[in-house]
Amino acid sequence: EAGVAQSPRYKIIEKRQSVAFWCNPISGHATLYWYQQILGQGPKLLIQFQNNGVVDDSQLPKDRFSAERLKGVDSTLKIQPAKLEDSAVYLCASSSGAHPYFGPGTRLLVL
Amino acid sequence: DQQVKQNSPSLSVQEGRISILNCDYTNSMFDYFLWYKKYPAEGPTFLISISSIKDKNEDGRFTVFLNKSAKHLSLHIVPSQPGDSAVYFCAASRGGSQGNLIFGKGTKLSVKP
């Protein structure tokens, strides 16, 4: 079974630029999550989708972050404009009723 | 305010000995607890979980204990192996396995040959 795929794996941008991350969940998984992990911290949920509907986006900074899951499969997370404090690993995860399975993450560095 | 706390940033044990990783939580509404293992440059990998209706769950060398009155859980690894060296994250949820996972900061385990 293929795992959660994410791209790109690494991204370096300057502050005020925009960036987008892509996630392809495990086939058949209805629930998809985006987590942000800042260095030295545990992952923090940004947004949770059930199929193509948002279940929880209470911790998503909506003035600069947006996410969508069209057709209830792939998802993209966008940051516009990026700030220095957005430097982190962005983890996508998916589940089908059991625990979430995580992808390898995208490491973002904002200079 | 941290709802899930892992107070030991690191732990070092000898191969073959027991590793005990601890986790405390503050929210009595949490009903599901998980442990994830993370290697560098990889995403977290699920290890073991426990529901709040249980006080122990075992899977091979890994056992998780839950003490609800103390709001404390621990992960025991017996015997420890060098391949167990990784960062271990404790996580808790209010909505079962599908809920928002609240993670601790992690404990880096080093198992020395």
Side-chain angles (χ1 to χ4, degrees), chain B residues 35-95:
Chain B
W35 285 93
Y36 280 84
K37 178 171 72 173
K38 187 180 182 304
Y39 293 118
E42 295 183 11
T45 302
F46 171 76
L47 201 54
I48 193 168
S49 63
I50 187 167
S51 163
S52 59
I53 62 173
K54 293 186 172 183
D55 55 17
K56 177 183 174 181
N57 190 24
E58 208 169 339
D59 184 2
R61 296 184 298 113
F62 303 92
T63 303
V64 57
F65 295 93
L66 175 63
N67 182 334
K68 289 186 289 294
S69 60
K71 294 191 180 67
H72 177 83
L73 65 156
S74 60
L75 174 68
H76 293 211
I77 307 173
V78 184
S80 301
Q81 299 173 354
D84 296 328
S85 297
V87 177
Y88 289 78
F89 289 98
C90 170
S93 164
R94 287 200 306 173

Side-chain angles (χ1 to χ4, degrees), chain A residues 8-29:
Chain A
R9 292 295 312 274
Y10 304 93
K11 190 75 178 178
I12 301 174
I13 62 173
E14 295 189 349
K15 59 183 179 184
R16 290 188 289 274
Q17 285 187 321
S18 62
V19 64
F21 313 126
W22 173 81
C23 172
N24 182 230
I26 293 172
S27 178
H29 282 195

